[in-house]
Amino acid sequence: MELPVNQFKRAIAAGKAPVGAWLVSAAASAAEALGCIGFDFLVVDMEHTPLDTPQMVGILQTIAGTSAQAIVRPPWNDVVMVKRALDVGAQSLLFPFVQNADEAKRAVASTRYPPAR
């Protein structure tokens, strides 16, 4: 099985400027509407919404049926939340409140599965 292509990262690497929106609703219908409008990406905000992991699964499935790419914003720079997001299919993450190099290193490390930490 081939992994899905991350179109968001591909566009950035090609020097394109993707246009997106923040999804601040836990409703899959809102994700579908925004995804069908033509945005390149949608930020699934788990920091400022009541969205939990089971709801995120439905949101990611809904976005996958559109042309938009999902970018998950976990509620915190927390390895458990990051692993959950990756386990349910998130390809891109936007970490909240990274204030220094150590926090950035911790964020990156949390996206790697052992033994690649």
Side-chain angles (χ1 to χ4, degrees), residues 6 16 20 22 25 32 35 38 40 50 55-56 62 72 85 90-91 97 106-107 114-115:
N6 188 322
K16 296 179 182 171
W22 284 70
S25 169
E32 183 177 29
D40 298 312
Q55 290 171 306
M56 179 181 50
T62 300
V72 174
Q91 288 186 304
F97 210 67
R106 189 172 76 234

Side-chain angles (χ1 to χ4, degrees), residues 4-16 18 69 92:
V5 174
N6 188 322
Q7 297 295 340
F8 178 76
K9 287 173 64 175
R10 181 176 277 179
I12 298 288
K16 296 179 182 171
Q69 297 287 295
S92 300

Side-chain angles (χ1 to χ4, degrees), residues 9 49 54 60-61 71 80-81 83 88-89 96-97 110 117:
K9 287 173 64 175
T49 63
L60 292 178
Q61 289 171 334
I71 300 174
V80 172
M81 290 305 299
K83 296 292 187 217
V88 299
F97 210 67
S110 69
R117 295 197 98 205

Side-chain angles (χ1 to χ4, degrees), residues 23 25-35 59 62:
L23 180 64
S25 169
S29 57
E32 183 177 29
L34 288 172
I59 297 288
T62 300

